[in-house]
Structures are given as C-alpha cells and as structure tokens.
Amino acid sequence: MCVKDSAPLPLLDTPTLWLYDCWSGLSLVPDGGSDSLMTLLDVFCHPLWAVATLLLALVVRLQRRGPWRPRDCPVRLDGKTAIVTGANTGIGKFIALDFARRGARVILACRSEQRGTAALQEICDVTGNSDVHLRLVDLSSLASVRAFAEKFLKEEKALHILVNNAGVSGLPRQITADGLEASFATNHLGPFLLTNLLLDLMKSSAPARIVTVASFSHKSGELDFSHFHGDNLIYRGNRVYSHTKLHNVMCTTELARRLQGTGVTANSVHPGVVMTEVMRHQRLRMRFIFNLIGIFFFKSAEEGAVSSIYCAVAEETAGISGKYFDSDCSMVLAAPLARDAALAVKDFEMCERVTSKLS
C-alpha cells in the first residue's frame, strides 16, 4: 500500500512534478517490493535522467579545468635538466612530457625498465625531443636510491628541476630490506634521501626547483616516527598513505627553510583526486568504486599533472618556496600539524638519521 501525503501539491514544473511522483512511488511498504523496483527503473530509464546526468558530467568536467593551463605558458626549458620520478605512467608521465615539450633534458626515474622504455618512446614521439633518458631506481630501496644518485652525479653537470612524484597507496604491510615500512620508504624516505643527495648539484645549478607531489589527505595524517619501521600502523582505507603525505609536506617546508638564499626552492602540491594507478594496490571493491565515481568527478592524469608543472616552470612561482599548492594551482594553507615549524624540524632530523644510518 502506498503512503501518500494528503496535502495538495504546490504548482510545479513538469520535470519537478515527475521527480516528485517517482519519489512518492518509492514510498512503498516492504511487500510492494516489485512495484518499488519498477518505479526505480522508470526513474533511471526516463529521458530526463539521462539529460540530467549528461549536464552534471559536463558541469563537473568544466570545473575540473583550473585557471592555469600548461599549453598557455610560454616558458622554455632549453638547456635545463629535470628529473621526474615515477614518470612511466600517470601524472609523472605527463609532467615529463611537458618538460620535454619545452626542450628540457628529461630523466625518467622509474622502477620498471619495460614500462619506462615505453613511456620514453611515447614522450620522444609526441614531443620530438630525443634528449629524454630512462634511469632505473626503486625508491623503496635506499641502496637503489644511492646508486641512482651516484650515477647521476657522475654523468650530469646540472639539475634544475626535481619532481618527487612516485608514490603508492594501499600496500599491505611489508618491511623492506632496510627494515622500513614499504609505503613510507617509497612515498617519503626514498624521495627524501634522493633529494638530499642531489641538493649540492641543484644549488650549483640555481635557480632550481624541487616539487613534491603530496595530497590533501595529509590533513588526516598522523606524525608517529615508529611508523617508519611499520609499528603502530592501521592498514585500513587510505590511512598509511595519508601519514606519508603529511611527512612529505612537513619535510618540504623545512627543506625550503634550509634552502633560503641558495636559489633553490621547494614546494609541495596536491594534484587533485586523479584517475591514476596509485590505487592499484587497493582492494578490488575500492578500486571499482573509485573508478566508477572518477569517470565523472575525478581528474585525468594529464589534468592532475598541472599543479606540479605550475610549480616547476611557471614564471609566477619563481622564488616562491616552502608553500603548499592545491590542484587549482592556488597557494593554500596546509593542515595545522603540517605548519608546526618545531615538529617539521624534528621530522626532518629524524628522516636524516634514519636514512643516514642505513648506508
């Protein structure tokens, strides 16, 4: 039996009245399940539903476009050298492609030789820049990071841009050969060590820029140094990822303070909620929901690369350091915990001790 409101309906336009009727039809007692299902199907099959969905998708798509577009930026990078970690796919590949299009010498720092080679070939073909090179590095291994840096310092005379882009999400509990939790090693301690090993070269190459891809999820992160070794961690949802991103933001801010007067800047960015392979280690159900919603609401990898490119090349960001940028290329406040200067110093020093001990 239907439960209907006895009050008279107000004057409504036809689409609104149709939605009201559909909603009223759904107000059925449990034994009217089949009627409810039919009414629900009527709702989703109605032409107005399709039109509304398309309009929503269009509006969301337009809103995904930020105020700054890489293609409109005339800055050239001829004679400049750039490293992009995790450049074989997703955001990293589009960052590297942009740098190559601007004439830079681009080093793709990747873990997979096969996928890195494919990305290199694609970037060269699209941009016509043959000065793009693949160098292998596994950021979860401090030995691999040191080997990469040592080889780079022997082969290269300058480094003007370093983009710490590579990252993972949803990894199960794993402890690396260095005794570090795998997500923390890959997302923070590996990039932290790489950056510090290359700092002297960047100072001699100044002006130079360091960009670390963080996330808005750093706002739910916690600062607990026992996490570095896999202790006191809860592997649920995106919590571990959030913790690593908090360290990214804090250490980048402290690095910027230490680099004052050197001509080297360091900033962290939020790329947006992006459809990339960073979710590949999450559960199948979470990946399905993420991808389904993402079709309409999330950024593509190319769109997600914009804020990093902005910090790395835009004229208006020259000289800006120690800041956090959102996915619309706006300078915004990081989480209160991430802005605690004393904690940032402690975090940076702890990361130095952890990475230096594991020589």
Side-chain angles (χ1 to χ4, degrees), residues 22-86:
C22 290
W23 181 255
S24 299
L26 288 173
S27 301
L28 297 171
V29 294
D31 60 356
S34 59
D35 290 337
S36 296
L37 179 59
M38 291 303 296
T39 306
L40 184 62
L41 290 175
D42 288 341
V43 171
F44 289 113
C45 292
H46 197 283
L48 285 176
W49 180 269
V51 172
T53 302
L54 289 174
L55 286 174
L56 176 62
L58 178 61
V59 170
V60 171
R61 180 75 184 179
L62 290 174
Q63 288 180 336
R64 278 163 34 176
R65 296 182 179 180
W68 188 84
R69 295 169 61 86
R71 298 268 184 163
D72 297 335
C73 176
V75 171
R76 295 288 303 173
L77 296 176
D78 302 280
K80 306 291 186 180
T81 301
I83 293 176
V84 183
T85 66

Side-chain angles (χ1 to χ4, degrees), residues 247-283:
H247 285 280
N248 284 167
V249 177
M250 294 184 74
C251 284
T252 300
T253 302
E254 171 59 15
L255 175 62
R257 187 187 68 81
R258 296 181 179 213
L259 288 172
Q260 288 178 1
T262 66
V264 182
T265 62
N267 294 293
S268 53
V269 303
H270 167 49
V273 184
V274 184
M275 297 280 286
T276 70
E277 295 184 11
V278 73
M279 295 288 288
R280 64 187 178 275
H281 299 292
Q282 294 283 0
R283 293 179 180 178

Side-chain angles (χ1 to χ4, degrees), residues 205-235:
S205 307
R209 307 190 195 189
I210 299 167
V211 179
T212 297
V213 179
S215 169
F216 75 98
S217 69
H218 81 275
K219 295 182 179 181
S220 59
E222 298 173 359
L223 193 68
D224 183 340
F225 298 123
S226 69
H227 289 168
F228 289 170
H229 301 287
D231 299 326
N232 301 315
L233 281 172
I234 298 175
Y235 291 84

Side-chain angles (χ1 to χ4, degrees), residues 113-135:
E113 183 172 10
Q114 180 179 359
R115 300 178 74 184
T117 300
L120 184 152
Q121 188 61 54
E122 179 182 346
I123 292 170
C124 290
D125 291 344
V126 170
T127 65
N129 184 347
S130 60
D131 200 6
V132 182
H133 308 274
L134 174 65
R135 299 289 184 268

Side-chain angles (χ1 to χ4, degrees), residues 12-30:
L12 300 172
D13 57 12
T14 300
T16 306
L17 189 58
W18 169 75
L19 288 171
Y20 182 92
D21 288 340
C22 290
W23 181 255
S24 299
L26 288 173
S27 301
L28 297 171
V29 294

